[in-house]
Amino acid sequence: MFPSDRFLPDALLARLTETRVNDPEFACRAAAARIRRPQLAPTGKLNILAADHPARHVTKVGDDALAMADRRDYLARILRVLSSTRVDGVMATMDILEDLLSIDGFLRAAGAATLLDNKLLIASLNRGGLAGSTWEMDDPITGATPAVCQAWRFDGAKLLLRVDAQEPASLKTILASVRAINECNALRLPVFLEPLPVTRTERGFTVVNTSEALARLAGVASALGDSSRYMWLKLPYCEDYQTVARSTTLPILLLGGESAGDPAPFLRQLESALKAGPNVRGALVGRNVLYPGAQDPLAMAEGAGGIVHEGWGVQQALASMGEANGAAMDRLAACL
């Protein structure tokens, strides 16, 4: 099991809170000092970590209902993944991004190698439709705005758009998404849109994960807003992924869904998806990378990044994990 308390010690976690109390502008200054990459996707492919689940009332991983509610463990796993050179960046809510920027600022002040220079920082915008709430399908923007993304020098914005044709509130979410897309376009800010067809069940809303449903909604999503020129789509894997890929010319990133607790299933999906069409350009994945069973999150990040950026097969990706497991566990020691 990944020893998060060793990688992110208590003293560093306490320093984050101390900085929030005594120097609340520190993260903002760290954002201003961050070196941004000159191009969004220099190789045409992207491998981005998704880290916005707790803000949506989603904390369960496997049998642990509160796995992602442990902020130290969650941050440690995110930082561990960002240590990989095969990870292009992270998508998260402002609170997470501010913590990451503060730690990066600590490293920069200590003269140590930073984690966020030349990485993509993508802000998650819409967090209002909390999982399990009575208003779940009415999902307005409650996080950062496109203007805030620009002020903080972020590299893009992410929108989740869940649509249930039987739920009138879905229209409000569509219109809120359109406003955000238009605002991002005006700022030339890339948008990562996650359009998911869902249906209500006894256990809440679940994704209708068929090629027909995904392809139809991808066609709707591609046409939202006053332009699609800065838009990427984030879509789950399904059988017949070629049909999904052919539904749009927009670049597509694969999402991962709930953690399988085993690296192999997601890596197989990723390898298959990348072969489905030339517009499938990588992954924007959270739980399957952060919580890969007994594996080190860094090892999983390296394996997935190898498939995306190096053209590895699944077996080569799995074989690479042994080299990364437990490596450089003192990476953050310079902050102390």
Side-chain angles (χ1 to χ4, degrees):
M1 193 60 65
F2 172 63
S4 61
D5 56 342
R6 178 184 165 195
F7 188 67
L8 180 57
D10 288 338
L12 181 51
L13 196 71
R15 185 177 178 185
L16 280 175
T17 302
E18 192 70 19
T19 301
R20 285 183 173 276
V21 172
N22 293 318
D23 190 1
E25 294 296 321
F26 183 82
C28 193
R29 295 197 302 275
R34 181 176 71 95
I35 299 172
R36 296 177 66 187
R37 60 167 63 180
Q39 187 178 350
L40 184 74
T43 68
K45 302 288 183 67
L46 288 175
N47 180 34
I48 300 173
L49 175 68
D52 60 342
H53 298 87
R56 253 198 117 64
H57 219 209
V58 177
T59 57
K60 185 175 184 293
V61 176
D63 295 330
D64 188 345
L66 293 176
M68 289 186 286
D70 184 331
R71 187 50 58 99
R72 190 261 295 281
D73 184 71
Y74 195 57
L75 279 175
R77 291 173 182 273
I78 294 168
L79 290 160
R80 189 72 174 149
V81 169
L82 287 171
S83 300
S84 171
T85 58
R86 294 191 175 97
V87 171
D88 290 279
V90 60
M91 181 278 295
T93 47
M94 283 299 295
D95 57 324
I96 296 290
L97 291 174
E98 288 161 359
D99 281 342
L100 297 178
L101 284 163
S102 289
I103 289 174
D104 213 48
F106 300 158
L107 290 169
R108 193 182 304 277
T114 61
L115 285 169
L116 301 183
D117 282 349
N118 294 304
K119 299 279 191 183
L120 299 175
L121 295 187
I122 312 296
S124 178
L125 303 190
N126 58 320
R127 300 291 86 192
L130 301 181
S133 64
T134 58
W135 66 89
E136 188 170 347
M137 296 309 295
D138 185 358
D139 198 8
I141 293 171
T142 54
T145 64
V148 166
C149 292
Q150 183 186 52
W152 282 71
R153 303 174 65 249
F154 293 154
D155 304 288
K158 182 257 185 176
L159 285 161
L160 172 63
L161 173 60
R162 295 185 303 164
V163 175
D164 182 347
Q166 304 304 313
E167 291 286 339
S170 288
L171 178 58
K172 294 182 180 180
T173 302
I174 291 173
L175 294 175
S177 297
V178 168
R179 287 192 293 271
I181 291 167
N182 291 346
E183 291 174 16
C184 287
N185 287 339
L187 298 171
R188 298 183 179 180
L189 187 71
V191 179
F192 295 82
L193 180 64
E194 182 179 358
L196 296 180
V198 298
T199 187
R200 185 189 291 273
T201 70
E202 293 181 357
R203 299 179 61 185
F205 289 98
T206 60
V207 177
V208 183
N209 199 16
T210 66
S211 60
E212 177 182 351
L214 289 170
R216 293 181 68 188
L217 189 55
V220 173
S222 299
L224 293 178
D226 56 19
S227 173
S228 61
R229 67 192 186 279
Y230 294 113
M231 189 183 297
W232 292 58
L233 297 183
K234 178 186 178 188
L235 296 168
Y237 184 77
C238 67
E239 294 297 321
D240 185 25
Y241 208 63
Q242 293 88 343
T243 294
V244 179
R246 288 196 302 268
S247 68
T248 181
T249 59
L250 270 60
I252 294 171
L253 298 179
L254 189 71
L255 66 85
E258 295 184 14
S259 172
D262 174 8
F266 171 71
L267 294 177
R268 285 194 290 266
Q269 290 180 359
L270 179 57
E271 181 185 33
S272 177
L274 288 168
K275 296 175 180 177
N279 57 334
V280 183
R281 293 303 180 105
L284 208 173
V285 177
R287 288 166 286 183
N288 273 287
V289 172
L290 291 171
Y291 299 91
Q295 292 281 352
D296 185 334
L298 173 60
M300 183 64 175
E302 287 283 305
I307 291 176
V308 171
H309 287 299
E310 315 292 343
W312 290 355
V314 172
Q315 292 308 312
Q316 186 175 0
L318 290 171
S320 74
M321 292 184 179
E323 301 174 10
N325 268 321
M329 288 294 291
D330 60 349
R331 175 72 188 268
L332 303 179
C335 293
L336 302 177

